[in-house]
Amino acid sequence: MEKEKILEEVKAKFGEKIKDVISQFGAESIIIEKDALHEIVSFLKNKSFSFTMLLDLTCVDWKGDEERFEMVYHLFSLSHNLRLRIKARLHERDPHILSLTPFWKNANWLEREVYDMFGIYFDGHPDLRRLFMYDGFEGHPLRKDYPLRKRQPRIPMRK
Amino acid sequence: MLLNMGPSHPAMHGTIRVMVEVDGERILNSEVEVGYLHRGFEKICENRTYFNLLPYTDRLNYVSPLINNLAYVMTMEKMLGLEVPERAQLIRVIMSELSRISDHLTCLAAMAMECGAFTVFLYKIKAREFIWDVIEQTTGARMTTSYIRIGGVRADLHPDYENGLKTAIVETRKVLKDVHGLLDKNKIFLNRTRNIAVVSPEMAINYGWTGPCLRSTGVYYDVRKAHPYSMYDRFDFEVPLGERGDNFDRYMVRMKEMEQSLRIIEQVLRILPSSSSQSLMAEGIEPAEAIKASRKKRVDKHIRLSPNLDGSEKERLKNILAPKHTPPPKEDTYTTIEGLIRHFKFFMREHGIRPPKGEIYFSVEGGNGELGFYIVSNGTDKPYRIHLRAPCFHVVSAMEEMIKGHYIADIIPTFGSLNMIGGELDR
Amino acid sequence: MGEMRQKMEGRFITTKFNYILGWARKFSLFHYPYVTACCGMEYMSAACAHFDLDRFGAGWTRFSPRQSDMLLVVGTITQKLAPVLKTVYEQMTEPKWVVAFGACAVSGGIYDNYAVVQGIDSIIPVDVYIPGCPPRPETVLNALIKLQEKIQNQEQEWRWKKRKF
């Protein structure tokens, strides 16, 4: 199945929830409303499209914009050998989005990492804790307003 | 009873903490804690230019460093629309396959040592030394090389590379044969690895596994075959598949992949044209004289460059670097004004490589699976956001489910066969 | 306690005994490789057959802090890992020596950010620093010889020595 066919079918079914479809550098991205995430993902995961693998899940911090955080999902279809990117924007005052753990199990750790680095809450995640930084770390490091060289030692340093 | 296998432990893979709840020796529940090597790669790259952050990419998957370089550089080239010369692509294939062999050798050496087979560890590290000697001859460093640059490679192959490479291939084949004889039918090794931590294909795909771990469950997916890059579609190699998805299959898939990598290197050696010129020009004028002479008239003679700048001469540069978005050959820099301006514009802050606004995702077959880079650029010379799709992140996230119901002693070969690399997992 | 090692002063027998004890200690170092990152690969190379650590007496790695007397801190130490390193150091018994292996252990390396400890001498006292990213195995052997010289020349502690308080 060609990529254009898939995009047309998705646009036809979820017309009003899709904001934009961009094609750049040979890859397609769909920009959606954040509430429609589960519907679109389950539609793409079903048998005929079979986007069975979640390659990656990450976030970009556009500081200065009103809709500050942008969640980016990369889906992959093994049988058709196609990649697709889904993007959703979140407000700074309301960084909540539905969790993808019911669909894929690796979303568990990926979402924990995004929570640790950016501070985005995933509704429905079974165990949202910090992954990389230690318990008791204050702040979310990958946000643009966190300084790079801020030292937060865990034990007191000598000298 | 709760048992803590702490972050500092003898398994030489990296720092990871496994807390297990045991009943006697059987594991009931476990929890894996990562992040002990989080070095802030993504944040630090937002403060460096595209050219400057190349050494940081070396240190991600440190057992196969040239493949990380390759992944980042190919992402940038796709974004800039660069076309890399053919010789550079072939050199990249050689280096990438050598790194892959070194990765598998290290992983299996550590796994075997933890199961008690210390001889296998020593043999494999010996073979790895030969490979690193070849890499050092060309690139100058054994491990973290920063050799593959945007637009090509940094320097041409050493004139004497063929002997070193042939020795490395022969020695690696010998070691592989020895290890096959030592471990394949060894009852102790089989008891420790057969039918332990079995993973079904559906579970593997659900967890987002790629690479040798996915292929050991029977799913045929290799980025080199599915989305061929850098001339891999010209070479004839197989992709070994496993059947059951247990520890022994992961070990076997890696052993067979090493043999296929050696096959690819031999094919490249047949295609690669011989090196055109010597490494140093024996005759020629000194650079200081050339600079003085160039003030009056454009200099036409050869310039004798120092050994540090080997590979930047005009003759060989066109074979190994694309003409745009790369530093110019050194003769031009020293003697012509256009070369100097190009050099200046490449290295100065605020100038340099400035890709168009947008984002891109590109992936490469790393030692562990699909190594992908997701780069967002906003038009300046520093990336706005870089994200690494680490293959062993997804593999290790399945570990909690994999070791449930097994003994404590089974954690060690399982963990070893997953090939967790701390630099890649924690970025 | 073990930071200021003064020049030996004493009689003939005590100096000779000191010399013999130093000789014995320097040629039978049991090291505990606290391996975290890329330098671990060069450590493996240095410890294996090509560049041998065993011919200097430091062959056997003791995978337990209580049984070793040299702590080799190999690789980057992050803020999350710092208390673990301190615990391991405190678990080791006297006499003990610490070697900082690689640029990241010496001074934080190329990572100057929120997550990395800028040099392990902010946590534990260090005897020998090995620069390099990663250091060549020959550098490691050179550092081991320097450590052996240091052990030979320092004042050894033994049980029945009369100490002046």
Side-chain angles (χ1 to χ4, degrees):
Chain A
M1 231 185 255
E2 294 276 351
K3 238 184 222 182
E4 289 84 24
K5 262 204 231 169
I6 297 183
L7 290 174
E8 275 171 28
E9 286 201 33
V10 172
K11 256 198 259 188
K13 186 147 186 210
F14 299 99
E16 66 286 356
K17 307 242 176 81
I18 295 189
K19 287 192 196 163
D20 207 357
V21 174
I22 308 178
S23 174
Q24 195 184 28
F25 302 124
E28 274 77 21
S29 352
I30 308 180
I31 306 186
I32 62 168
E33 298 264 339
K34 73 176 194 184
D35 305 315
L37 184 67
H38 267 207
E39 298 167 350
I40 297 184
V41 161
S42 59
F43 177 66
L44 285 171
K45 201 179 172 207
N46 74 22
K47 268 230 161 312
S48 64
F49 294 132
S50 70
F51 277 91
T52 46
M53 206 189 273
L54 175 70
L55 274 187
D56 208 4
L57 196 169
T58 181
C59 177
V60 185
D61 178 9
W62 295 101
K63 186 154 175 34
D65 278 3
E66 205 199 293
E67 300 205 299
R68 187 176 170 185
F69 299 111
E70 180 177 34
M71 293 294 301
V72 180
Y73 301 89
H74 285 95
L75 299 180
F76 181 65
S77 160
L78 267 176
S79 39
H80 302 297
N81 205 6
L82 289 171
R83 283 194 196 129
L84 191 64
R85 195 182 299 146
I86 301 181
K87 303 209 278 187
R89 283 256 179 170
L90 303 175
H91 256 287
E92 187 173 348
R93 288 168 270 115
D94 177 35
H96 285 260
I97 193 171
L98 292 167
S99 162
L100 282 186
T101 31
F103 297 101
W104 287 288
K105 291 194 197 148
N106 58 345
N108 192 331
W109 271 29
L110 284 165
E111 289 173 352
R112 272 177 70 184
E113 181 201 341
V114 172
Y115 167 66
D116 187 4
M117 296 281 123
F118 287 94
I120 296 183
Y121 294 90
F122 290 91
D123 307 324
H125 193 277
D127 182 24
L128 199 63
R129 289 177 285 145
R130 281 189 181 270
L131 188 72
F132 286 157
M133 306 312 298
Y134 55 90
D135 288 332
F137 189 85
E138 284 162 10
H140 295 281
L142 271 173
R143 288 193 179 188
K144 290 285 176 184
D145 44 11
Y146 191 91
L148 175 66
R149 296 209 169 97
K150 180 171 173 185
R151 311 274 183 227
Q152 267 195 44
R154 199 175 178 191
I155 56 171
M157 303 271 150
R158 42 199 288 269
K159 293 185 200 168
Chain B
M1 183 175 82
L2 268 176
L3 190 66
N4 173 35
M5 299 174 79
S8 167
H9 58 88
M12 302 250 225
H13 288 279
T15 41
I16 194 173
R17 183 174 176 210
V18 183
M19 288 174 279
V20 288
E21 187 186 327
V22 286
D23 170 35
E25 279 247 359
R26 286 244 169 229
I27 297 176
L28 301 169
N29 275 324
S30 60
E31 188 189 320
V32 174
E33 191 176 332
V34 297
Y36 286 101
L37 197 59
H38 177 71
R39 296 186 277 199
F41 164 72
E42 296 179 359
K43 181 124 188 136
I44 219 174
C45 284
E46 292 172 12
N47 290 308
R48 304 270 184 271
T49 62
Y50 287 102
F51 187 64
N52 274 353
L53 67 90
L54 212 59
Y56 290 97
T57 58
D58 269 329
R59 283 138 177 100
L60 289 169
N61 182 349
Y62 37 81
V63 284
S64 57
L66 288 149
I67 302 185
N68 314 326
N69 259 339
L70 182 66
Y72 169 68
V73 161
M74 291 204 76
T75 319
M76 287 309 297
E77 281 164 6
K78 192 148 179 231
M79 209 170 191
L80 296 167
L82 277 186
E83 181 151 333
V84 181
E86 207 178 278
R87 192 183 160 85
Q89 289 189 18
L90 291 173
I91 297 179
R92 280 178 178 182
V93 168
I94 294 184
M95 289 293 156
S96 151
E97 292 306 313
L98 282 176
S99 295
R100 182 159 310 139
I101 296 177
S102 147
D103 188 333
H104 290 327
L105 280 176
T106 315
C107 162
L108 293 178
M111 176 184 171
M113 178 177 88
E114 288 147 24
C115 287
F118 198 65
T119 321
V120 173
F121 178 69
L122 292 174
Y123 280 0
K124 289 199 162 158
I125 303 291
K126 174 188 85 160
R128 196 180 75 170
E129 290 291 328
F130 285 105
I131 295 177
W132 278 8
D133 276 345
V134 171
I135 295 183
E136 187 188 5
Q137 223 182 22
T138 308
T139 69
R142 286 149 59 97
M143 231 172 79
T144 50
T145 55
S146 311
Y147 174 64
I148 301 183
R149 303 279 167 100
I150 298 178
V153 289
R154 187 246 175 268
D156 207 341
L157 289 172
H158 197 261
D160 199 22
Y161 75 95
E162 238 171 289
N163 292 335
L165 202 51
K166 291 204 166 109
T167 322
I169 295 178
V170 163
E171 288 288 333
T172 313
R173 282 220 163 99
K174 248 197 269 183
V175 159
L176 286 181
K177 184 163 161 246
D178 280 339
V179 172
H180 270 297
L182 273 174
L183 285 183
D184 268 7
K185 301 208 170 92
N186 188 337
K187 200 146 169 38
I188 303 178
F189 192 68
L190 283 174
N191 273 342
R192 282 204 81 169
T193 52
R194 259 272 179 244
N195 291 327
I196 308 282
V198 177
V199 175
S200 65
E202 293 79 29
M203 179 176 151
I205 296 179
N206 204 339
Y207 267 108
W209 279 21
T210 50
C213 295
L214 178 67
R215 293 198 278 276
S216 77
T217 60
V219 178
Y220 181 85
Y221 174 58
D222 187 338
V223 184
R224 293 174 291 176
K225 293 272 194 197
H227 306 270
Y229 57 91
S230 179
M231 291 198 175
Y232 268 106
D233 40 6
R234 266 206 220 171
F235 304 117
D236 172 38
F237 62 100
E238 291 167 7
V239 172
L241 291 179
E243 289 167 349
R244 269 179 266 192
D246 54 6
N247 283 345
F248 188 74
D249 272 350
R250 287 189 274 270
Y251 153 80
M252 216 41 194
V253 161
R254 289 203 165 98
M255 294 289 279
K256 290 197 175 140
E257 264 187 28
M258 280 199 266
E259 182 58 47
Q260 297 301 317
S261 291
L262 289 172
R263 253 180 87 185
I264 297 179
I265 296 181
E266 285 174 338
Q267 287 173 39
V268 174
L269 279 183
R270 263 180 264 144
I271 303 183
L272 196 67
S274 51
S275 206
S276 46
S277 59
Q278 295 100 338
S279 64
L280 272 184
M281 323 249 193
E283 76 284 339
I285 50 177
E286 288 279 323
E289 270 181 54
I291 294 176
K292 244 195 222 171
S294 72
R295 287 191 191 135
K296 306 224 177 89
K297 201 175 82 157
R298 198 175 279 248
V299 171
D300 229 352
K301 306 192 205 96
H302 284 304
I303 303 182
R304 201 184 327 154
L305 295 174
S306 86
N308 288 341
L309 297 173
D310 183 23
S312 319
E313 308 100 356
K314 204 188 291 195
E315 261 196 37
R316 299 210 287 161
L317 203 69
K318 64 177 183 301
N319 283 341
I320 54 178
L321 271 183
K324 216 176 153 199
H325 293 292
T326 51
K330 288 295 173 199
E331 286 106 332
D332 275 352
T333 320
Y334 288 149
T335 53
T336 61
I337 192 68
E338 295 90 7
L340 188 63
I341 293 178
R342 250 184 82 190
H343 179 108
F344 182 86
K345 275 193 112 50
F346 183 77
F347 285 109
M348 280 303 284
R349 223 189 264 196
E350 304 300 323
H351 299 265
I353 304 176
R354 276 176 297 173
K357 263 196 194 178
E359 57 196 7
I360 186 174
Y361 174 82
F362 188 78
S363 69
V364 144
E365 176 78 13
N368 275 341
E370 179 171 338
L371 180 71
F373 266 89
Y374 172 67
I375 300 186
V376 176
S377 120
N378 58 351
T380 60
D381 60 340
K382 298 190 177 137
Y384 192 74
R385 170 100 169 96
I386 281 194
H387 177 78
L388 171 79
R389 193 252 174 214
C392 55
F393 190 79
H394 304 260
V395 170
V396 173
S397 67
M399 198 166 137
E400 290 174 13
E401 201 179 310
M402 273 165 73
I403 56 177
K404 215 181 239 191
H406 292 289
Y407 295 121
I408 294 182
D410 291 330
I411 299 182
I412 307 293
T414 311
F415 185 56
S417 69
L418 293 180
N419 197 18
M420 172 214 132
I421 307 285
E424 197 179 50
L425 180 72
D426 297 335
R427 268 152 263 153
Chain C
M1 183 76 210
E3 286 176 61
M4 301 283 288
R5 311 235 191 235
Q6 286 134 344
K7 200 76 176 63
M8 183 68 202
E9 48 180 65
R11 311 286 158 77
F12 173 71
I13 295 187
T14 40
T15 26
K16 263 297 165 222
F17 194 68
N18 197 61
Y19 177 79
I20 294 176
L21 205 60
W23 176 90
R25 278 189 179 146
K26 81 176 185 185
F27 278 135
S28 71
L29 281 170
F30 287 147
H31 60 280
Y32 177 66
Y34 193 89
V35 171
T36 33
C38 359
C39 285
M41 303 299 118
E42 286 293 357
Y43 164 73
M44 285 200 310
S45 279
C48 285
H50 218 84
F51 309 92
D52 212 353
L53 274 187
D54 202 0
R55 50 196 166 133
F56 295 96
W60 262 77
T61 53
R62 291 267 135 205
F63 286 120
S64 160
R66 296 253 188 231
Q67 296 171 9
S68 57
D69 48 14
M70 181 166 96
L71 178 68
L72 259 181
V73 184
V74 181
T76 321
I77 300 291
T78 54
Q79 302 283 2
K80 194 170 182 183
L81 199 54
V84 181
L85 178 63
K86 197 158 170 67
T87 318
V88 166
Y89 177 73
E90 283 164 4
Q91 274 181 347
M92 285 170 71
T93 55
E94 288 273 343
K96 53 190 176 188
W97 297 276
V98 175
V99 174
F101 189 125
C104 292
V106 167
S107 71
I110 52 177
Y111 299 101
D112 183 12
N113 57 16
Y114 57 89
V116 172
V117 173
Q118 305 292 306
I120 60 171
D121 44 17
S122 348
I123 308 177
I124 54 181
V126 176
D127 288 306
V128 179
Y129 297 86
I130 309 184
C133 190
R136 274 200 70 113
E138 288 98 341
T139 321
V140 175
L141 298 174
N142 189 15
L144 189 65
I145 294 178
K146 279 203 164 62
L147 180 68
Q148 285 178 343
E149 281 170 15
K150 182 171 183 179
I151 295 176
Q152 178 76 79
N153 294 332
Q154 75 184 27
E155 179 174 340
Q156 314 290 343
E157 313 277 329
W158 64 86
R159 220 189 300 168
W160 55 84
K161 187 163 120 181
K162 291 197 186 87
R163 275 187 231 205
K164 304 182 187 120
F165 293 106

